[in-house]
Amino acid sequence: MGAQLRVYKRRIRAVTATKKITKAMEMIAASRIVKAQRKVAASMPYATELTRAVTAVATGSNTNHALTTEVETPTRAAVLLITSDRGLAGGYSSNAIKQAERLTERLRGEGKDVDAYVVGRKGVAYYGFRERKIMESWTGFTDSPAYADAKRVAAPLIEAIQKDTAEGGVDELHIVYTEFVSMMTQNAVDGRMLPLSLDKPEEETGAKGEILPLFDFEPSAEDVLDALLPRYVESRIYNALLQSAASEHAARRRAMKSATDNAGDLIKSLSRLANAARQAEITQEISEIVGGASAMADATAGSDK
């Protein structure tokens, strides 16, 4: 019985140590969420205005450009998947991977070949385990991305969209990331970055009946689009990286809180079992003492006769 009590005490100490770790990770994730949210909010105005500028150039000119012109029969698409470098974040990475799998299946159903570009060690490990080809991969910055990271990710994608498919280029660029909605809600979403859809709501392109401004482009509309193309792709990727980082921290906080709560419940359960074992041990010792005293009393009474 004493050995069983020692086992329970050892397990309680181990679970208590784990609880301290998960609680610390929960607090760290909670502190990083606010910072990540601020970065997301700060990046939104630039991305929105840049999209409006690109839309204005595209609608105000007749230039055929990779940024805005759709190929009649697209045959190849690039998919950028954003996952995390670390685990312990619940279903954050797996949900993004599942969304990318659905997107890939849909694109292949449309007769398009798909090139995979992956951000984060979890996504790289997923494709590597299944021996799937990855065109480019990036790791080491998913929890705190910088604009320089977005530029590194965007560079091969921009190069691919500017090439002809016969030379290894693509006709479309898609992105899969986790959208940060709130502290409790993060959704894995996908969207097409290029060619840019010009169907904008009225609040972005002007109210119905409003006379939109005319634009002059110098040196030409094509040169302007060439200059805006990398900025547009970089801003979209940067915003997606920031939203994914905020979602990762929120998911990790939620997962660590659940782990901490489960550890507390397990400690209570083990404590009850340890108390029961200790009580059983005490009861057994008392029974042995009483039995021994009774045997000694019987022996003494027999010797007196």
Side-chain angles (χ1 to χ4, degrees):
M1 191 64 69
Q4 187 178 12
L5 182 59
R6 286 195 296 272
V7 170
Y8 287 138
K9 287 183 176 180
R10 186 164 58 248
R11 291 188 63 188
I12 289 173
R13 287 195 297 269
V15 175
T16 301
T18 302
K19 182 181 178 181
K20 291 180 181 179
I21 295 173
T22 56
K23 184 63 177 179
M25 294 182 67
E26 176 190 349
M27 296 176 66
I28 292 172
S31 66
R32 291 178 176 176
I33 292 174
V34 177
K35 185 177 181 180
Q37 282 181 290
R38 291 174 180 169
K39 288 186 176 181
V40 172
S43 70
M44 289 300 294
Y46 176 76
T48 300
E49 291 303 324
L50 185 57
T51 302
R52 288 180 177 176
V54 173
T55 303
V57 178
T59 56
S61 67
N62 296 323
T63 302
N64 292 328
H65 195 275
L67 187 63
T68 58
T69 304
E70 295 195 28
V71 179
E72 291 185 3
T73 55
T75 59
R76 198 172 196 86
V79 174
L80 173 64
L81 168 62
I82 299 176
T83 62
S84 67
D85 286 322
R86 299 185 293 130
L88 301 177
Y92 165 75
S93 291
S94 61
N95 290 337
I97 291 172
K98 290 177 183 177
Q99 188 68 23
E101 290 289 280
R102 287 191 289 267
L103 173 61
T104 300
E105 184 178 351
R106 186 172 74 246
L107 292 174
R108 286 175 177 166
E110 297 172 358
K112 303 170 186 174
D113 295 327
V114 178
D115 292 341
Y117 295 79
V118 183
V119 174
R121 291 189 177 93
K122 291 299 179 180
V124 173
Y126 177 85
Y127 279 81
F129 180 77
R130 288 158 180 79
E131 297 182 350
R132 297 183 184 177
K133 183 180 179 181
I134 300 177
M135 304 302 293
E136 293 278 353
S137 63
W138 304 267
T139 59
F141 56 82
T142 59
D143 59 344
S144 183
Y147 194 82
D149 299 318
K151 292 184 69 174
R152 286 198 296 118
V153 175
L157 293 170
I158 295 171
E159 183 180 357
I161 196 67
Q162 292 176 330
K163 285 183 179 179
D164 188 77
T165 53
E167 301 174 352
V170 297
D171 300 317
E172 297 177 353
L173 292 183
H174 297 261
I175 186 170
V176 179
Y177 65 99
T178 305
E179 180 184 26
F180 182 85
V181 180
S182 66
M183 295 286 286
M184 297 302 297
T185 305
Q186 301 88 40
N187 299 323
V189 297
D190 65 82
R192 192 180 74 175
M193 287 192 293
L194 294 177
L196 177 66
S197 176
L198 300 180
D199 296 330
K200 294 294 176 181
E202 291 181 356
E203 61 266 25
E204 292 190 13
T205 57
K208 186 176 182 180
E210 180 184 350
I211 299 176
L212 297 177
L214 297 176
F215 295 93
D216 290 329
F217 307 108
E218 292 184 1
S220 67
E222 184 175 0
D223 291 333
V224 173
L225 288 174
D226 285 339
L228 290 177
L229 173 61
R231 304 291 182 271
Y232 170 76
V233 176
E234 290 165 6
S235 67
R236 285 289 302 272
I237 292 176
Y238 183 53
N239 183 262
L241 288 172
L242 292 177
Q243 293 212 46
S244 295
S247 300
E248 178 184 350
H249 294 316
R252 182 168 291 111
R253 175 185 175 274
R254 190 166 59 251
M256 291 300 98
K257 185 180 186 306
S258 177
T260 302
D261 294 341
N262 291 338
D265 294 339
L266 183 57
I267 290 172
K268 290 179 182 178
S269 177
L270 291 172
S271 297
R272 284 194 293 266
L273 292 173
N275 291 335
R278 182 164 48 249
Q279 185 63 42
E281 183 178 351
I282 293 172
T283 302
Q284 182 178 354
E285 290 177 354
I286 292 174
S287 299
E288 291 174 353
I289 293 172
V290 171
S294 178
M296 290 178 64
D298 291 342
T300 303
S303 63
D304 291 342
K305 294 178 179 179

